[in-house]
Every structure is written in structure tokens, then in C-alpha cells.
């Protein structure tokens, strides 16, 4: 069982294609694949932009369909439409400390990039717990991720073990990371990875004139 997906913070780009979408095309023929449109997780650092986050649900879904990830072979779903995910996340939050969340290397780097310092939204800090709920609710055994997301998988499995120990039986299952065979795609500025937030990405839905402009940067 595979669980994968994207935060709905904007249309997808070439970095997403080489890093994850291409693998999903293959996996949907080999496994039971669930593809998450993570709108709730997008709100953790997009407060006040909820209308844009909702609009991007449609944009990202259209990008999925455009590359061939579709409902015939994959189950595509919206995070906020499955309330059990939020319920499970709340239960898992009782099994982790703030100190442990702050030690997560992925979260530490994201906090640095967003310049939160100590003004960290609580929802953003517990992002690993929300992700763990998404993975374990579907009993996913394989999670395709980039190398920078390995600490998130480690923390998910920690929570699985803590939860099972607390209830006295193996309810949740541990998962394995499936690393991308392709490294980070450089941004159009040549200085960093291709990223929506850094405005150095070429969208999958880009028109010809936009592609020409991007090529001439």
C-alpha cells in the first residue's frame, strides 16, 4: 500500500514531476496507491490564504490527471474531507513531546527557511504528526519521499510503536521510505532546488510564452 501526495500550496512544476509524479505513474500499476491533496497541512503556514489553498486543490488535481495519475488506478482524495485523519492526528499528538518535534531535522530546516524563529504556528510544528496520521490511517507500507523527508518517516514509525504499545496490540503498521531515483532538480535561477515558494520553478501547466520567459531568465 502506497501513500503519497502534495500540499496544495500551488500548481505543480517540473521538480515535482521528476521527483515524485513519474514514480507514481509506475507505482499505481504495482500497488494500491492513495494520493493525498493535503489542504489542511497547507493551512499550517498559509493562514489568511485559505481561499487560495482551496483553489489549489483543483489545480493540483488537474496536474495529477494531466501526467496520468488518475482515479482508475489511484485513489485521489482531499485531506479535509476525511475527518478521521484529524481525529487520529489528535490521538497521536499525545504520544510525542514538543522537544521531540523541535528536534526533527526536516521541521528545523523548514522553520529556518520560513524565518519563524520562536513564532512557530502550533499547526506547523505538529506537521509530522499530521503526516503520520495520513500514512497510518491507510496502513501504508511504502511512502515515496525525498531524502530530506526521511526524518518524517522515522518519526512516523516512532509514533506507530508508541501507539501500539499504549493500546496493547498492533493496530497501526510501520512504513518504509521509497527514495526518489532522481536528485533535486535545480531551480531556474541555478542556485537552489526548484521550488514554488522561491519562484524559480517551471509549472507543468505553463503556457508557451511563460516557458519562453523562464528559459530566458
Amino acid at each position: 500500500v502506497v501513500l503519497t501526495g502534495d500540499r496544495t500550496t500551488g500548481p505543480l512544476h517540473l521538480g515535482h514531476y521528476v521527483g515524485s509524479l513519474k514514480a507514481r505513474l509506475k507505482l499505481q500499476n504495482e500497488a494500491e496507491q492513495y494520493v493525498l491533496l493535503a489542504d489542511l497541512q497547507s493551512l499550517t503556514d498559509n493562514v489568511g490564504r485559505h481561499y487560495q489553498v482551496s483553489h489549489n486543490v483543483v489545480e493540483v488535481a488537474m496536474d495529477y490527471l494531466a501526467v496520468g495519475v488518475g482515479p482508475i488506478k489511484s485513489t485521489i482524495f482531499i485531506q479535509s474531507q476525511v475527518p478521521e485523519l484529524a481525529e487520529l492526528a489528535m490521538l497521536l499528538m499525545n504520544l510525542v513531546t514538543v522537544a521531540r518535534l523541535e528536534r526533527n531535522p526536516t521541521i528545523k530546516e523548514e522553520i529556518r527557511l520560513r524565518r519563524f524563529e520562536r513564532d512557530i504556528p502550533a499547526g506547523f510544528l505538529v506537521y509530522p504528526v499530521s503526516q503520520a496520521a495520513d500514512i497510518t490511517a491507510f496502513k501504508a507500507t511504502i511512502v515515496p519521499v525525498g531524502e530530506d523527508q526521511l526524518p518524517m518517516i522515522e518519526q512516523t514509525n516512532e509514533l506507530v510503536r508508541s501507539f501500539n504499545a499504549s493500546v496493547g496490540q498492533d493496530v497501526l503498521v510501520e512504513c518504509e521510505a521509497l527514495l526518489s531515483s532522481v536528485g533535486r532538480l535545480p531551480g531556474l535561477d541555478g542556485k537552489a532546488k526548484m521550488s514554488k515558494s522561491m519562484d524559480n520553478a517551471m509549472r507543468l501547466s505553463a503556457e508557451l510564452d511563460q516557458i519562453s520567459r523562464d528559459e530566458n531568465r
Side-chain angles (χ1 to χ4, degrees):
V1 180
V2 175
L3 189 286
T4 182
D6 298 279
R7 284 167 26 106
T8 58
T9 53
L12 304 183
H13 52 70
L14 289 179
H16 291 115
Y17 180 76
V18 300
S20 60
L21 295 175
K22 194 173 181 180
R24 293 175 199 176
L25 288 171
K26 181 174 183 290
L27 288 168
Q28 69 181 358
N29 293 313
E30 302 174 350
E32 181 181 349
Q33 179 168 260
Y34 296 91
V35 184
L36 167 71
L37 292 157
D39 55 340
L40 288 180
Q41 289 171 4
S42 299
L43 290 173
T44 60
D45 58 342
N46 282 276
V47 175
R49 295 189 289 273
H50 51 283
Y51 291 112
Q52 186 62 43
V53 168
S54 297
H55 171 75
N56 287 334
V57 168
V58 178
E59 294 291 324
V60 175
M62 288 195 298
D63 285 338
Y64 289 161
L65 298 177
V67 300
V69 176
I72 294 177
K73 295 183 177 180
S74 297
T75 300
I76 302 173
F77 67 100
I78 303 171
Q79 186 181 34
S80 62
Q81 300 303 304
V82 186
E84 291 84 357
L85 298 178
E87 181 179 352
L88 179 56
M90 179 61 74
L91 294 174
L92 294 178
M93 281 183 210
N94 296 309
L95 302 173
V96 64
T97 65
V98 171
R100 175 64 182 94
L101 291 168
E102 290 180 330
R103 288 198 305 271
N104 186 308
T106 305
I107 292 299
K108 287 173 67 175
E109 177 62 12
E110 293 295 333
I111 288 172
R112 185 189 69 80
L113 290 174
R114 288 166 173 76
R115 299 178 180 176
F116 283 147
E117 296 182 356
R118 295 306 300 170
D119 294 323
I120 311 166
F124 188 85
L125 185 61
V126 299
Y127 171 70
V129 182
S130 175
Q131 188 177 67
D134 298 333
I135 295 169
T136 56
F138 289 88
K139 296 185 181 296
T141 52
I142 299 293
V143 185
V145 294
E147 191 171 354
D148 61 326
Q149 292 290 309
L150 288 177
M152 306 291 266
I153 302 302
E154 178 185 354
Q155 189 147 38
T156 293
N157 288 333
E158 286 179 10
L159 287 167
V160 167
R161 292 189 289 270
S162 294
F163 185 90
N164 290 343
S166 69
V167 298
Q169 56 183 306
D170 292 337
V171 177
L172 305 181
V173 299
E174 294 190 35
C175 61
E176 295 182 17
L178 178 64
L179 290 176
S180 171
S181 60
V182 179
R184 293 182 177 184
L185 194 67
L188 296 174
D189 53 11
K191 297 179 180 179
K193 72 171 183 176
M194 191 169 285
S195 168
K196 290 178 288 187
S197 60
M198 299 181 71
D199 192 30
N200 65 354
M202 186 177 290
R203 295 181 178 182
L204 295 178
S205 57
E207 300 289 344
L208 184 59
D209 61 339
Q210 183 181 353
I211 294 173
S212 297
R213 288 196 303 272
D214 288 341
E215 286 179 339
N216 294 324
R217 279 195 188 187

